[in-house]
Amino acid sequence: MYLTEFQFNPARPQASRLLSSPQVLHAAILASFPDPPRSGDNSPRVLWRLDRNSPTRVTLYITSPARPDLTHLVEQAGWPTTSGWQTYDYQPFLDQLALNDIWSFRLTANPVHNTRRTPTEPTKPTAHLTPHHQKLWLLQRQTGAGFEVLAAPTTPDTATATDHLSLRIRNRQKLHFEKTGCSIGVQRRITLYTATFEGELRVTDPDALRRTLTIGLGRAKAYGCGLMTLAPSVCA
């Protein structure tokens, strides 16, 4: 597995086009591989996430089973004369994950639940729209994903169960973009709700967490959701 970091130059016209459409950016990322890895339910896949730390600093993170070549992205939307991209061997980090390790994490996800209006109607995925329900969505998946969100210091104004945890929503977005269908020239309007979570976690199942880090968490993985990254924690 590989972890890649790429810095966009938001002032370039092609960067604006890529950053405005998860569909277009996904296609550009897959073009980084001569033989794009197939996506399977239980096999490592290409995952990506955009971190918009400021209007002028937008970072793309990619995890992938194969090493990517981002030359085309550097030429079109990066900094060709000063920096390209950095790719790291991710496997040693994954292998050293151990029970009860403490890490800071970041995850952009598409929190949804299945709903239906009548008992006979098929269920359909519906987005969680409030921060409270978005946090609950992640907490409902933490055990199967191999981690536990740590508790946070309580304060007098702590109101809900999720307020007791070191779990924050850094950014929430409603994205609109066009997706080309199977028929030539047919496009479909996609609306996607995302939430970027940050917090502190404890590893409860290293193998399950390795799967989470390599196959993603939740839906809309092709559109920049599902990639969790870890960093050293101040709580460790």
Side-chain angles (χ1 to χ4, degrees):
M1 288 295 296
Y2 296 92
L3 172 65
T4 299
E5 181 179 349
F6 170 80
Q7 195 71 35
F8 274 96
N9 179 352
R12 305 190 70 181
Q14 188 64 11
S16 299
R17 176 174 176 267
L18 290 165
L19 294 172
S20 65
S21 172
Q23 172 76 9
V24 174
L25 183 52
H26 175 64
I29 291 170
L30 290 186
S32 304
F33 304 93
D35 185 16
R38 294 183 178 180
S39 299
D41 291 338
N42 296 306
S43 59
R45 59 174 292 158
V46 176
L47 299 169
W48 60 275
R49 187 183 77 225
L50 282 175
D51 283 2
R52 301 173 185 264
N53 297 311
S54 74
T56 59
R57 185 170 182 81
V58 182
T59 305
L60 171 67
Y61 291 97
I62 304 171
T63 58
S64 56
R67 182 184 290 271
D69 182 344
L70 302 185
T71 301
H72 62 300
L73 283 179
V74 175
E75 293 173 345
Q76 297 173 15
W79 302 87
T81 62
T82 57
S83 63
W85 71 94
Q86 296 78 43
T87 296
Y88 310 95
D89 186 354
Y90 200 30
Q91 198 61 50
F93 173 80
L94 295 172
D95 292 341
Q96 61 100 35
L97 290 173
L99 184 66
N100 293 324
D101 278 354
I102 304 296
W103 296 96
S104 295
F105 72 90
R106 180 178 290 181
L107 164 73
T108 294
N110 171 225
V112 300
H113 63 295
N114 290 323
T115 62
R116 58 185 174 190
R117 292 171 296 182
T118 66
T120 59
E121 184 182 57
T123 61
K124 66 176 183 177
T126 303
H128 286 300
L129 300 180
T130 68
H132 174 69
H133 286 99
Q134 289 172 342
K135 288 180 180 180
L136 288 179
W137 174 90
L138 179 60
L139 296 175
Q140 290 165 357
R141 285 155 180 78
Q142 62 180 344
T143 300
F147 66 89
E148 176 185 46
V149 176
L150 295 181
T154 59
T155 62
D157 59 351
T158 297
T160 68
T162 58
D163 292 331
H164 291 282
L165 301 172
S166 60
L167 177 61
R168 305 171 297 279
I169 294 183
R170 184 174 182 268
N171 187 34
R172 301 166 64 231
Q173 284 190 299
K174 179 182 180 181
L175 304 175
H176 297 286
F177 56 96
E178 302 293 335
K179 179 181 179 181
T180 302
C182 298
S183 301
I184 297 176
V186 175
Q187 291 190 325
R188 184 160 58 98
R189 184 73 166 172
I190 301 294
T191 299
L192 186 68
Y193 292 86
T194 68
T196 298
F197 301 94
E198 290 182 343
E200 311 294 321
L201 63 77
R202 179 177 66 86
V203 180
T204 58
D205 185 335
D207 288 335
L209 183 56
R210 277 187 278 269
R211 288 194 299 272
T212 298
L213 296 177
T214 56
I215 70 174
L217 186 62
R219 299 171 61 94
K221 297 182 180 73
Y223 301 134
C225 297
L227 173 57
M228 174 183 281
T229 53
L230 305 180
S233 171
V234 296
C235 300

